Amino acid sequence: LIPVTAFGLGTWQVKRRKWKLELIENLATRFNAPPQNLPYDLSELNEMEYSSVRVKGRFDHSQELYMGPRSLLVGGDAAGQGGMFSQSSGSQTGYLVITPFHLADRDLTILVNRGWVPAKMKNPEQRKQGQVEGDVELVGLVRLNETRPPFTPKNNANTLLYRDLEQMAEMVGAAPVYLEATESSSVPGGPIGGQTRISLRNEHMSYIIT
């Protein structure tokens, strides 16, 4: 009975490993593909997580939201069989600045995670230089809803702890569409973009061998 069970578990791990490798490859393809336009049919975004999209419009800085505390992510990302990842500096804590963004090509406001600021710069009065005005064009990664982690309190209006897109959108009168701005969107005195953490590790080979 034990050898048969072990064989069955090994077969399951082989299939699981194949699925994981395909998932990693698909994610890497999306992440590295050239930016595309935000689709008019927003339901298409459900199949576009981590895809790059280009949008043009203007920020409404008067309705900023803050998620954190968070550490600054540095070092970009790396792709390989083990997955893609970002490293955390761990030396500073701060907040992600999420700002309503009214699109120039349609009557729609979305949410843009502009990036990270240190805790002492959370107050926008401390970073007026980075509060860009007028129409801007930026590239961001599509992110979907996030399940509330175990033992994590619910979000409140002052500080968000996780991505509840419907709740966040309702707070500022936007559509539940969320982009994480890339590092190239950073401006002097403003949030540091490129704060997307991607972590997919493939450990199934060790399980199969064991």
Side-chain angles (χ1 to χ4, degrees), residues 24-165:
I24 292 172
E25 182 179 1
N26 182 46
L27 182 56
T29 299
R30 291 188 194 180
F31 191 80
N32 294 311
Q36 53 189 300
N37 293 327
L38 184 73
Y40 277 88
D41 182 356
L42 298 181
S43 66
E44 295 180 19
L45 295 174
N46 293 327
E47 304 299 326
M48 292 177 60
E49 186 158 31
Y50 295 112
S51 296
S52 296
V53 298
R54 180 181 288 107
V55 291
K56 183 178 181 180
R58 63 177 59 206
F59 289 108
D60 180 359
H61 300 294
S62 68
Q63 297 199 78
E64 282 185 349
L65 300 174
Y66 309 100
M67 184 178 294
R70 291 285 193 276
S71 295
L72 172 66
L73 298 183
V74 295
D77 58 85
Q81 187 173 359
M84 295 188 292
F85 61 89
S86 295
Q87 296 178 331
S88 171
S89 68
S91 60
Q92 295 189 73
T93 57
Y95 294 87
L96 301 177
V97 178
I98 300 160
T99 310
F101 188 79
H102 189 72
L103 300 178
D105 65 345
R106 68 194 89 169
D107 186 18
L108 183 72
T109 299
I110 64 174
L111 299 168
V112 173
N113 173 358
R114 296 185 62 203
W116 181 93
V117 295
K120 64 181 180 180
M121 302 289 283
K122 181 181 178 183
N123 186 337
E125 291 296 316
Q126 302 297 319
R127 45 183 167 83
K128 291 182 178 180
Q129 181 185 3
Q131 302 296 76
V132 291
E133 300 292 342
D135 283 355
V136 296
E137 188 172 297
L138 62 86
V139 173
L141 299 179
V142 175
R143 298 305 310 276
L144 302 180
N145 215 49
E146 180 180 23
T147 302
R148 179 161 64 102
F151 312 113
T152 299
K154 292 183 178 181
N155 286 331
N156 61 67
N158 295 321
T159 304
L160 305 168
L161 299 174
Y162 57 94
R163 289 190 314 277
D164 183 330
L165 300 192

Side-chain angles (χ1 to χ4, degrees), residues 150-199:
F151 312 113
T152 299
K154 292 183 178 181
N155 286 331
N156 61 67
N158 295 321
T159 304
L160 305 168
L161 299 174
Y162 57 94
R163 289 190 314 277
D164 183 330
L165 300 192
E166 294 289 344
Q167 180 190 35
M168 294 161 62
E170 186 176 351
M171 287 179 177
V172 298
V177 175
Y178 182 93
L179 303 181
E180 292 188 339
T182 59
E183 187 175 359
S184 62
S185 70
S186 303
V187 296
I192 300 173
Q195 298 301 302
T196 301
R197 183 192 298 274
I198 301 180
S199 179

